[in-house]
Amino acid sequence: MKRVLSLFALAVLSVGMVCAGGNQETSQTEKPVKEIYFWHAFGDAARSQWIEDRADEFNAGHPGYKVVVEAKGSYRDTLQAAILADKQGSAPHLVQVFEVGSQLAYDSGIFMPVGEIGSFDTSDYIKPVLNYYTINDTVNSIPFNSSSPVLYINKDKIVEAGYPADYVPATFSDVIKLLETAKAKGVEGAKFSMCLHGWYFEQWMSEQNAMLVNNGNGRDARATETNLNSPAGMKIGNFMAELAKNDLYTYSGKFEDWNGSDAIFEEGKAMIHITSTADLGNISKAVEGKFKLGVGFIPIPDGATRNGTVIGGASVWVTKNHPEDELTAARDFVLFMTNTENMVSWHKLTGYYPVRNSSVEALKQEGWFDSDANQIVAFNQLLQTKSNKASAGALAGTLTDNRTIIETSLQKILQGADVKSALDEAKILSDTKLKEYNANF
Amino acid sequence: MNIFDQGENAVFKGTWKAALFLLPTILILTVFLYFPAWHSLVMSFFRNNLFLGTHTFIGLENYRNLFTGPLAPAFLQSLIQTLLISLLIVFIGISASIFLAIQANKKIKGGTVYRMLLIWPFALSPAVAGTIFLFIFNPEVGIMNTLLDFLFSVKPRWLDSPLLALTLVVFAAVWKYLGYNIVFYLAALQNIPTEPLEAADIDGAGAWRKFFNVLYPLLSPTTFFLVFTNISYAFFETFGLIDILTSGGPVGPPNVLDKTGITTTLMYKVFQDGFGGSSNMGFAAAESVILTIMVGIVAYFQFSSMGKGIHYQG
Amino acid sequence: MNKRKKDPVWVHLVLIAAVILVCFPIVFALIKSTQNTEQVLSPSMGIGTSFLHNFKRAFLDYKLWIYMKNSLVISFYVTIGKIILSFLAAFSLVYFKFRGKKIIFIFIIVTLMMPTEVLILGLFNLIANQPAASFLQWASWFFNPVKLLFHPIAYGFGWSNTNLAIIVPFLASATGVFLFIQHFNSVPRSLVDSSRIDGTGPIGFIFHILIPMSWNTIGALALIQFVYVWNQYLWPRVIVRYDANQVVQVGMNKIISIGDSVAWGEVMAGAIIAMIPPLIIFSLLYHAFMKGYALSSNK
């Protein structure tokens, strides 16, 4: 009897298991309206809520369509998920793609240029930003969350070093001189603390109006070679070498450790720091009461004429294979989400740039910049960026690999390796990766 | 396989019943493990990119790129590092856990408390464990260096000095798996009969002799099992920890191990190449094939060297 | 082992040192989970007052409770499934007479070298691809060696985003088979013989003798498998598409977003909460499998 019962229990369990799978299917059963899916990478409550609120507003004004928003994890996860979904015939209409994934997104073939969905006005978007996302003269995606690097300054330590409180080092040698002077004066934390990230290398190439990759930074034709060991690249490498030689640079030791380096600056172990403008709010809050915070343009290599920075962040792409009306609705949602007032509120919430000229105007009008002088610096740096291929940013499928390779070689340089050989080696590796990628076509 | 030395236990007849009992397991393993593994093997002969959806046959080119060409030194370095790191993890992990399990098993006051407290880290996920360690070991503001600076005025560069980073990763990996090992050893220790030890005491054997001649052999089935699972853990599951803690780690000493990070194990490299960067899945698949072969070789050595020494009771 | 001399001091010292080393990170996480955003990045180890806030944010706002619920259900099914399947398989290998045992054993054990991480792409295609529209279509692919060779996974199960996807592939356990075989081989031969003499078949033997003797191994296996499934990250991340079905570790990672302004206090609070179920299971099963064999007949 016991045996029978036990076997019965087993059977029930197995049946239950199979049914469990069925019952837990997704909740998308009825489709009275057309659903437009938007996949993004903001896992935190604040930003995802903001996006959902915009979706709700849009839905209210567009009966017959429902924008459904979902956070999918990191940027990579989101793009991978979208591609895999497309393979199964159910790609989301809108996908947020990180900036250096642009070539990958373009090459994946699952997206269509948003500029081909009817016609709409893009003149209000800030030019260098839109340039990044323009491929072959068509606007491919709409910039959504954008940021640039700025210099964060511990004003108290600047004064301690004997400089005027609003001093901002403009060139690499200014930085070195500042830190050396501070060190000599015994200022604690006389160091520079950006995290070790390939992004900064890309920025400094742009500031020198130098191309990261060939073929017009990958925009005239598919890139086939990188320029890591060009004279422009060498200047960056030499800077890092000099910082390391004189013990003026500090970081947590791990690549791309944004938080680690922020913490170092906030705790006063460094006096100047470079990170994204989007972190201005958090850093200001964190150092309140500890020291006075200043912000400036990032320092550039000596001898260069300031060309401007490359926009960072992400944009929203539209996938193919949807009915015409859904595409239009999707495009309208993106344009709505990035319209003047919404970009203003996005900026206030997150610190990302409102990438529309009208939004910047609106902010100026309401005196947003008067209360916090630090904010306007980042804006000015972007608005003063020249519009050319260097500042439009590089377009290549292996930019993420590139960053790791750059970080590895910079770390070697920090540990004392010869700059030229480290960068030469980096170039060989990144060219190989690029060749490997291009072999797919 | 001497697992079946006890062939005498095979008392039941009825091959169809035996087949029935085995069927679910074999079915699941074939469909969900062997089949995808085969898929990976096939993929290693293709140029396959996750984002672009390419799938072109290129024969042995991926393997050629692994052993010759500009990408080879990084791969070979990773191979060596994987062996080194894994051997360290297994050896240190097993030794530490046998030792701690024996101590915790003694009938001392608070024994149960010690036992429970030593085991819990394996309930922590590798990613979270890595995050906590990252916090603690930040060279500027982490608690470890604050303490060391206060006591000894040193602030070791845990994350970018190759030796320290390697030590940290091995330590974190051993730490995380300690509980798993100790749990098994404790269970084994509590189930071994007391007579052999008492006999050894009567003979007047000292602690070391008791351990080597009596305790260790009695624990050998458990050790055998744990060495195998520790090897698997060290080769494969440490990925999460390494990803968070060092992202593959600082580059090693110049001209020796500087082609790639020092804590880049093969598993991490598979991920880096296959799911990171431009997702060259075919290349990563080739690496994972080599990785599996390597594990197979290590396992073969383990089975043949340790398999003979297993003692069963009963 | 039954020496009752005074506990040697060095044993205590060693154990205390080990416990400190082992438990420090958790104490650290606990303390950090009580701190607010400013304190949390600094080396301060003072106990803050934000625990409730961090806890609420992690558990409710970030929906950790949904993920934990999902993980519990899945861990439960997988654990039970693994125990049953591996028990039966090990039983078959040890207690039945037939040829080919060695091959089957190797077949099973080799899968220990095929962790999910290595199989992920193939597994994804297998699970997510749509099943063939008709048996004929499937058969024409399956029985065609060329197609099978070059496109091993043209058709799948179509289980994307279902619980089946996270349960079924993990129902078999080589670890479990291994463990049970070791255990069965330690069971006194006399018990097996006596059952044969009695004339009880294999099923009777299992239920009346073997299972009562195997609770400690079952407990150990249950604990390990529960924790393994609970800590799964990669596979659910890839195959589960909607938040409502997501599991705990992936959900936890959503609290750690991409790099700008992570609320570490909340992350630590989430980590602590996520650790609680495995710890509960652990304390429940600890006693079950620490107690010795049920029988100690001819010892």
Side-chain angles (χ1 to χ4, degrees), chain C:
Chain C
M1 287 250 166
N2 322 37
K3 296 279 160 70
R4 278 313 198 145
K5 303 203 297 247
K6 242 193 340 197
D7 303 340
V9 176
W10 70 270
V11 173
H12 279 277
L13 282 177
V14 162
L15 285 173
I16 291 179
V19 165
I20 291 180
L21 214 59
V22 165
C23 291
F24 176 68
I26 177 73
V27 170
F28 177 85
L30 258 171
I31 295 183
K32 284 293 173 188
S33 68
T34 63
Q35 297 179 339
N36 60 22
T37 346
E38 284 99 54
Q39 281 176 296
V40 103
L41 280 177
S42 70
S44 123
M45 289 293 280
I47 301 192
T49 50
S50 301
F51 182 68
L52 241 55
H53 169 257
N54 290 339
F55 172 85
K56 170 180 159 298
R57 294 275 290 158
F59 199 65
L60 295 175
D61 296 344
Y62 281 108
K63 307 211 207 86
L64 204 59
W65 68 274
I66 296 186
Y67 307 136
M68 286 175 69
K69 177 180 67 113
N70 290 333
S71 282
L72 272 172
V73 167
I74 294 165
S75 304
F76 175 74
Y77 280 124
V78 173
T79 304
I80 301 221
K82 277 198 202 251
I83 292 178
I84 295 178
L85 261 69
S86 40
F87 188 97
L88 291 176
F91 182 84
S92 170
L93 283 171
V94 173
Y95 289 112
F96 275 100
K97 228 188 199 57
F98 61 91
R99 320 240 330 229
K101 276 193 194 179
K102 198 161 170 180
I103 300 270
I104 295 184
F105 178 71
I106 295 182
F107 180 84
I108 295 179
I109 293 296
V110 161
T111 63
L112 280 173
M113 296 186 306
M114 300 188 203
T116 329
E117 292 88 5
V118 170
L119 302 176
I120 195 90
L121 199 70
L123 198 57
F124 179 83
N125 283 336
L126 181 66
I127 300 279
N129 284 352
Q130 295 309 311
S134 69
F135 181 71
L136 207 63
Q137 203 183 30
W138 180 83
S140 73
W141 159 75
F142 191 71
F143 293 112
N144 180 338
V146 172
K147 271 214 200 137
L148 198 60
L149 202 69
F150 283 96
H151 296 96
I153 306 185
Y155 299 112
F157 287 94
W159 284 343
S160 192
N161 203 55
T162 63
N163 272 2
L164 281 174
I166 2 189
I167 294 179
V168 177
F170 302 102
L171 286 178
S173 167
T175 315
V177 171
F178 201 96
L179 268 181
F180 278 123
I181 290 184
Q182 299 263 43
H183 167 68
F184 292 163
N185 276 331
S186 313
V187 167
R189 183 59 207 284
S190 50
L191 289 166
V192 188
D193 284 337
S194 57
S195 126
R196 249 245 310 213
I197 292 171
D198 286 350
T200 31
I203 308 249
F205 178 59
I206 290 180
F207 282 101
H208 292 149
I209 300 188
L210 208 48
I211 290 189
M213 284 200 66
S214 308
W215 285 120
N216 55 340
T217 311
I218 291 180
L221 194 61
L223 182 57
I224 296 166
Q225 297 305 347
F226 181 86
V227 171
Y228 169 78
V229 178
W230 185 263
N231 283 346
Q232 258 193 337
Y233 174 68
L234 186 60
W235 175 240
R237 188 173 101 177
V238 164
I239 197 78
V240 175
R241 285 169 50 194
Y242 295 106
D243 266 8
N245 302 351
Q246 195 48 277
V247 302
V248 72
Q249 299 305 339
V250 183
M252 264 260 354
N253 256 51
K254 288 188 182 225
I255 309 185
I256 312 179
S257 61
I258 340 142
D260 1 342
S261 66
V262 183
W264 289 108
E266 295 165 17
V267 172
M268 289 292 131
I272 303 276
I273 301 168
M275 261 201 317
I276 293 178
L279 287 178
I280 293 181
I281 300 282
F282 167 65
S283 45
L284 288 176
L285 288 176
Y286 175 81
H287 290 291
F289 88 74
M290 278 306 173
K291 73 179 181 229
Y293 285 115
L295 300 163
S296 46
S297 48
N298 41 350
K299 297 227 184 119

Side-chain angles (χ1 to χ4, degrees), chain A residues 76 79-80 83 107-108 250-254 260 264 267 397 401 408 411-412 415 425 432-433 436 439-441, chain B residues 47 50-52 54 70-71 139-141 157 159-160 244-245 247 250-251 258-259 273 275-278 280:
Chain A
R76 284 198 75 83
L79 182 58
Q80 274 171 11
I83 292 179
D107 286 337
S108 74
T250 177
Y251 70 128
S252 71
K254 182 182 154 195
I264 292 176
E267 294 296 313
D401 293 307
T408 310
Q411 194 175 57
K412 284 201 258 192
Q415 289 174 355
E425 215 180 293
T432 313
K433 282 271 170 189
E436 211 178 70
N440 281 298
F441 303 101
Chain B
R47 171 168 295 115
L50 181 64
F51 290 113
L52 308 174
T54 29
L71 297 173
E140 294 285 354
V141 298
R157 303 285 312 174
L159 296 170
D160 62 342
I244 303 271
L245 196 52
S247 291
V251 283
D258 69 341
K259 298 299 169 215
D273 293 334
F275 288 95
S278 46
N280 190 339

Side-chain angles (χ1 to χ4, degrees), chain A residues 404-419:
Chain A
T404 314
I405 294 173
I406 292 175
E407 287 151 20
T408 310
S409 67
L410 285 181
Q411 194 175 57
K412 284 201 258 192
I413 292 175
L414 287 173
Q415 289 174 355
D418 170 52
V419 176

